[in-house]
Amino acid sequence: MKISIFRLGLIAMSSLGFFNNTIAQEAEKVKYDAHVLFHPLFNFQPGNEYRTGSGAPGPKYWQNRADYKINVALEEEKGTVSGEVELIYKNNSPENLEFIWLQLDQNAFGSHSRGAQTTPVTGGRFGNMGFDGGDSIRAVSVQQGKGGFVDAEYKITDTRMQIRLKTPVKANGDVIKIKLAYSFKIPEYGSDRMGTLETKNGIVYEMAQWYPRVAVFDDIEGWNLLPYLGAGEFYLEYGDFEYNVTVPWDHIVVGSGELLNPNEVLTVEQRKRLADAAKSDQTVVIRSVEEVTNPNTRPKQSGTLTWRFRCVQARDIAWASSKAFVWDAARMNLPKGKTALAQSVYPAEDGGLDGWGRSTEYVKGCIEFYSNYVHEYTYPVATNVAGIVGGMEYPGIVFCSSKSRKDDLWGVTDHEFGHNWFPMIVGNNERKYAWMDEGFNTFINFLSGDNFNNGEYKTTQMNDMHRLAPMIFRPKADPIMTIPDVVQAVNLGWEAYYKPALGLKMLREQILGKERFDYAFKMYVQRWAFKHPTPYDFFRTIEDAAGEDLGWFWKGWFFENYKLDQSVKEVAYVEQNPQKGSYITIENLDQLAMPVKVDIEEVSGKKTRVELPVEIWQRGGSWTFKAATQGPIRSVTIDPDHSLPDINPENNVWKPASYNTEPDVN
């Protein structure tokens, strides 16, 4: 999901010293304790047959499966979606299940929901006060064994529905079928994840959380049942989807997966253009601005049309519908010679080369990058939809603001499609650990942004960690390992997106090196593709594959709000003779530690860089090393590249009182 974050404003404040008075007052107090940071029992949870100590799925790893068959209709005049869903649920767990829990996320949009009741009176991005929505469940039935469907007993509690079974779903592979008839009123603005947008040529409908979805039952918590309040996103089982969407005749529908009946819902010309787009690296117009209001762009001129889709090995699906859509597409070139289709749909007024006229180019660019860097894209189509939603992801389809332009449109497209890897391929629990997808995507966005179109939208604003440190280490910051609904709203952008992303950037560039990090990161994706990893599975995989004990880093950066303050304390010459070398003493003054880079410049102009591992801080916060200098020293600088978030850069440079050729006595 996109986060609108004060990037320039607050970074500028930090660079102007907005927080510096407080930092300067606190920085010189030594707070470092090596025993706390390098505690031997951090991350000391033995592996088991389900999840190994190495971070890989164990020999008895299991997860349940959910396949869906859905038929719904968009009723424009009523502003509703109604239909039926059939869930085929397979219990692969070692436990019998006496009940099944479903998620009814539309219930968050009711005036008496927990989501509404926990929305501040000032409103907010995820608030939906004043809208009387929610799922209306008309019928629930189940089928077990060889019998037919029978009415089921069920209980709805806010955004969760419990189906109580007369016969348990047996362990190790038993299957149950659940049928539900339902409907809901479409919210105009559904927590910035779905809704409707009025345009000059018609309403754009973005449909998400639009069918009852089974909750995850896993080996960590059993049923995962945190309510849907807004900030926390989703945790879902994998399966195959077949779904049919009936809409007015003049609508264009796009959805997760593959369109199965193009002959019924597209004209001959549109099918030809799509075939051309599938072979073209340049964007091909499927439905032009001029054609939007032309009834001949539809295969019929009255009634309804049913669009049929299939999405394989996915954890969710979404769709969008409108008679206002301009539509274009192009080929994506994936590793190993495979291809897929990038496409965009948007209102006519939002096209053009400064706007959505370049959207398909952006889709193609980011998916090709991710496919090469992490894992090959897994869906046949990738669709970008312009509407009311600021930025939200679903398998094979994303919703981005129709008002986004230029670098903003690139950025939100890149980020949302990145979610097709985290959490759509690597299926982490977003409701609890937002940073495992938002932070990972934000980190890769640093790389993909530099790569796109020879650096067209390249930015350096996340490179100077000294400027960022005051924001990272804000006095009221939440730890990264905080449930999104517990994180203060003002902190979510940093704690879920930027701080974890910057942590991975440091891990790659300053701690492990690019080659070791990239290998370990890809190993994590490979191990947990279409599975359910926990934070510890990630931590352990990185450690195992990179060959590094990183408990100190996970503890300080992810679990705590430890600050970093490195300094150069003093310089002394060997035997008081500059020609014989020097002893340089550095300090770690706060509770976080990092590897060290020190630049030494001699009066002669000679420059030397010394790199030291994080282990120098294992026995305390002061370290002296010998440097092979050959003359008087002009300056010593710790972290000269500003690659670490040092909260007090003022103590990072040592200079002598004068540049005498006589040795200084320290």
Side-chain angles (χ1 to χ4, degrees):
M1 187 176 189
K2 179 185 179 182
I3 192 73
S4 299
I5 191 169
F6 31 79
R7 291 185 293 179
L8 296 175
L10 291 181
I11 290 171
M13 284 195 295
S14 70
S15 68
L16 294 172
F18 186 75
F19 300 93
N20 286 356
N21 289 337
T22 302
I23 291 169
Q25 294 171 7
E26 296 180 354
E28 298 301 329
K29 302 176 183 178
V30 178
K31 305 172 184 177
Y32 180 65
D33 186 342
H35 300 91
V36 172
L37 187 64
F38 293 96
H39 196 287
L41 297 184
F42 177 79
N43 198 16
F44 190 74
Q45 295 180 342
N48 55 48
E49 55 193 355
Y50 303 128
R51 299 168 190 266
T52 68
S54 69
K60 293 187 178 181
Y61 175 84
W62 58 266
Q63 66 190 49
N64 292 347
R65 180 179 176 89
D67 299 309
Y68 295 83
K69 296 179 180 178
I70 311 171
N71 290 281
V72 295
L74 169 64
E75 300 171 298
E76 263 200 306
E77 292 183 0
K78 297 180 180 179
T80 63
V81 169
S82 62
E84 295 183 345
V85 56
E86 179 180 304
L87 164 65
I88 302 96
Y89 184 72
K90 186 176 184 181
N91 178 24
N92 292 317
S93 82
E95 299 180 52
N96 295 338
L97 301 179
E98 294 88 356
F99 44 81
I100 306 293
W101 282 97
L102 303 182
Q103 301 179 30
L104 305 181
D105 291 329
Q106 287 295 322
N107 285 356
F109 308 138
S111 58
H112 299 291
S113 71
R114 293 191 189 185
Q117 293 174 331
T118 56
T119 298
V121 293
T122 53
R125 184 181 187 188
F126 305 116
N128 286 276
M129 295 183 296
F131 179 77
D132 188 21
D135 279 312
S136 175
I137 305 297
R138 299 193 303 273
V140 181
S141 59
V142 298
Q143 181 189 57
Q144 295 178 265
K146 297 181 180 180
F149 280 91
V150 297
D151 291 343
E153 179 187 358
Y154 63 93
K155 174 72 174 178
I156 296 174
T157 306
D158 195 50
T159 58
R160 296 150 301 181
M161 175 183 186
Q162 185 187 47
I163 299 177
R164 298 169 178 175
L165 304 173
K166 295 179 180 179
T167 303
V169 186
K170 296 178 182 178
N172 303 315
D174 195 13
V175 173
I176 184 173
K177 292 183 179 179
I178 302 171
K179 280 187 179 180
L180 301 98
Y182 72 104
S183 63
F184 63 88
K185 186 178 177 182
I186 303 168
E188 178 183 355
Y189 184 76
S191 291
D192 202 19
R193 295 192 175 97
M194 64 169 298
T196 61
L197 176 70
E198 292 272 3
T199 78
K200 69 179 184 180
N201 293 317
I203 298 172
V204 173
Y205 297 89
E206 294 175 308
M207 294 293 104
Q209 292 80 63
W210 59 281
Y211 60 98
R213 303 179 296 180
V214 70
V216 171
F217 184 83
D218 62 22
D219 61 296
I220 304 298
E221 297 187 34
W223 290 105
N224 287 255
L225 297 172
L226 284 177
Y228 180 39
L229 303 179
E233 294 187 342
F234 310 109
Y235 186 35
L236 301 163
E237 298 286 12
Y238 289 96
D240 297 340
F241 294 78
E242 293 185 6
Y243 63 106
N244 305 326
V245 181
T246 300
V247 298
W249 66 271
D250 53 357
H251 278 223
I252 296 290
V253 180
V254 290
S256 299
E258 178 185 10
L259 177 64
L260 298 179
N261 63 330
N263 291 346
E264 298 175 12
V265 296
L266 302 179
T267 66
V268 172
E269 180 60 27
Q270 287 165 348
R271 299 198 301 270
K272 178 182 178 301
R273 292 173 183 178
L274 273 173
D276 291 341
K279 297 179 288 187
S280 173
D281 289 326
Q282 304 301 314
T283 300
V284 175
V285 175
I286 313 302
R287 191 189 195 213
S288 69
V289 171
E290 294 76 21
E291 292 173 318
V292 168
T293 56
N294 183 354
N296 292 326
T297 63
R298 309 303 309 115
K300 59 186 293 189
Q301 282 72 50
S302 64
T304 61
L305 282 170
T306 298
W307 297 63
R308 307 182 189 280
F309 295 90
R310 178 173 57 223
C311 192
V312 176
Q313 202 173 25
R315 51 176 257 167
D316 198 7
I317 50 173
W319 54 275
S321 181
S322 181
K323 64 180 181 181
F325 279 151
V326 176
W327 183 5
D328 60 41
R331 177 181 65 190
M332 297 186 294
N333 301 299
L334 306 179
K336 302 176 183 178
K338 293 185 178 180
T339 63
L341 188 72
Q343 62 179 17
S344 303
V345 290
Y346 49 91
E349 57 266 41
D350 295 309
L353 294 181
D354 286 343
W356 278 78
R358 292 188 68 188
S359 167
T360 293
E361 178 190 353
Y362 298 158
V363 175
K364 174 179 168 68
C366 67
I367 288 183
E368 288 178 351
F369 181 86
Y370 267 80
S371 292
N372 283 286
Y373 182 63
V374 185
H375 187 286
E376 189 169 78
Y377 184 71
T378 58
Y379 304 108
V381 182
T383 306
N384 201 6
V385 181
I388 195 170
V389 177
M392 187 60 200
E393 71 281 357
Y394 301 94
I397 188 170
V398 303
F399 302 158
C400 298
S401 172
S402 64
K403 304 307 175 188
S404 290
R405 298 290 186 269
K406 295 182 179 180
D407 59 333
D408 182 59
L409 181 55
W410 156 257
V412 66
T413 301
D414 185 34
H415 183 81
E416 302 312 331
F417 271 114
H419 281 297
N420 270 274
W421 284 263
F422 312 97
M424 304 309 169
I425 292 176
V426 183
N428 61 279
N429 184 347
E430 298 180 281
R431 192 71 51 93
K432 271 198 170 181
Y433 309 113
W435 62 271
M436 292 184 72
D437 54 288
E438 302 295 1
F440 289 7
N441 279 331
T442 304
F443 158 69
I444 299 176
N445 295 154
F446 298 158
L447 307 177
S448 56
D450 289 352
N451 176 79
F452 176 72
N453 198 25
N454 298 314
E456 178 180 359
Y457 296 130
K458 185 175 183 178
T459 177
T460 60
Q461 70 179 26
M462 291 295 169
N463 292 341
D464 190 340
M465 295 289 280
H466 289 187
R467 294 179 63 194
L468 297 173
M471 287 305 306
I472 296 171
F473 302 125
R474 303 173 318 287
K476 295 184 179 181
D478 294 285
I480 290 173
M481 291 289 285
T482 305
I483 294 173
D485 290 313
V486 178
V487 174
Q488 297 296 313
V490 71
N491 290 339
L492 187 64
W494 278 99
E495 269 58 283
Y497 294 71
Y498 283 98
K499 186 177 179 183
L502 292 168
L504 295 186
K505 178 179 168 69
M506 287 193 298
L507 195 59
R508 183 175 190 258
E509 297 176 359
Q510 309 304 320
I511 300 173
L512 297 176
K514 296 179 181 179
E515 193 278 333
R516 282 206 296 163
F517 175 88
D518 288 351
Y519 176 80
F521 196 65
K522 289 178 182 177
M523 182 63 67
Y524 167 69
V525 174
Q526 178 182 322
R527 285 177 170 180
W528 290 99
F530 305 103
K531 296 181 176 68
H532 296 314
T534 69
Y536 288 101
D537 297 319
F538 171 68
F539 298 151
R540 289 171 166 175
T541 293
I542 296 298
E543 291 186 345
D544 238 47
E548 204 73 46
D549 187 330
L550 297 166
W552 60 273
F553 180 69
W554 311 131
K555 178 180 176 67
W557 194 260
F558 287 86
F559 286 82
E560 308 287 350
N561 282 327
Y562 293 163
K563 300 180 181 68
L564 181 71
D565 183 13
Q566 298 179 338
S567 74
V568 184
K569 183 179 182 180
E570 61 184 5
V571 175
Y573 295 113
V574 176
E575 298 178 5
Q576 301 187 25
N577 186 342
Q579 281 73 41
K580 292 187 176 183
S582 54
Y583 293 111
I584 297 173
T585 300
I586 57 177
E587 289 186 312
N588 199 67
L589 299 172
D590 220 308
Q591 191 52 59
L592 185 65
M594 291 291 289
V596 171
K597 292 180 181 176
V598 177
D599 277 2
I600 307 166
E601 182 179 1
E602 299 177 33
V603 173
S604 66
K606 179 186 176 184
K607 297 180 180 179
T608 304
R609 172 164 290 191
V610 177
E611 298 187 18
L612 301 169
V614 72
E615 285 84 2
I616 64 172
W617 307 120
Q618 287 185 331
R619 291 192 174 95
S622 181
W623 185 258
T624 300
F625 64 92
K626 184 178 180 181
T629 50
Q630 298 175 338
I633 294 174
R634 184 187 304 274
S635 66
V636 179
T637 305
I638 196 168
D639 191 24
D641 302 327
H642 296 195
S643 57
L644 302 176
D646 195 309
I647 62 168
N648 186 23
E650 294 180 5
N651 61 17
N652 284 29
V653 181
W654 175 93
K655 292 183 178 179
S658 64
Y659 302 134
N660 295 331
T661 56
E662 296 296 322
D664 291 345
V665 178
N666 291 274

